[in-house]
Amino acid sequence: MQDIDVKSLVDLAVSAAHEAGALARDRRRAVERMAVAATKSTPTDVVTESDTAAEQLIRDRLLAVRPGDAIHGEEGGHSAGDSDVVWVVDPIDGTVNYLYGIPQYAVSIAAQVDATVEAGVVYNPASDETWTAVRGSGALLNGEPIAVTGCADLSLALVGTGFGYDAGRRARQAAVLAELVPVVRDIRRAGSAALDLCAVASGRLDAYYERGLNPWDRAAGGLIAAEAGAVVSGLYGQPPAEAMTFAATPGIAEDLRALLERLGADRV
Ligand code: IPD
């Protein structure tokens, strides 16, 4: 790894995330006013436009300070660089919540150095909450240290999950969930993978799992959860990936992971 000041990457990502989050939030408020005035604009247009505008803003801010970095974004795809840093960006994670005006969406920005996520920032503009982590330095919420819960019994665990957009996969995910519901305290489907991972980090969930996440959904939140003490992995000894992103407080991680493996939760 080049001599990179990871803390400065976090600071840059926080300022870009705050600016992009404010843009998304303001556009969302504008659409609410438009809806009241019954104009022709639809919320769907605003989602698409906000996504694109927020990602462009993030790209501009990151490249203004670090012009040699690569960026891998949900909306704009991959732009190559010549440094060791790749930024992994989701301008609005929780798009459907954003569409409906549910205040559970986030800007997610991770800095990968030599293919390892070294820094992560997740910002919820609606609640004005900012999660940050630097690999090896713990996780923070609005600057204060956070940690996972001490849950040690699967039957008492509050477990988050999510569903992909493909109908066949959703049916399979629902079947897995049907097996899980009777053996845990309860289930949450909050609609933003980045915030779900941060919820595990903050003790608002005991665990979270989902099949089918993209790198921009999980990169920042995965590091934040791990730095807060969560076990973050895939199934069968794999690292978190598209097949499965799993994050749990250590006291239930083994039991929940074994159950998900038994249920084939990483199969379509
Ligand atoms: C989605 C959200 C959702 C998860 C989906 C993701 P998007 O990301 O994180 O919670 O269940 O799998 O695709 O589309 O809102 O950026």
Side-chain angles (χ1 to χ4, degrees), residues 131-134 137-141 144-147 201 223-229:
W131 286 263
T132 56
V134 168
S137 302
L140 306 174
L141 168 54
E144 298 296 324
I146 49 173
L223 178 65
I224 291 163
E227 287 297 323

Side-chain angles (χ1 to χ4, degrees), residues 74 90 92-95 162-165 189 191-193 210 213 217:
E74 178 174 23
D90 191 343
I92 301 180
D93 181 59
T95 320
F163 306 105
Y165 289 110
R189 196 288 192 248
S192 159
E210 185 167 346
L213 292 185
D217 299 318

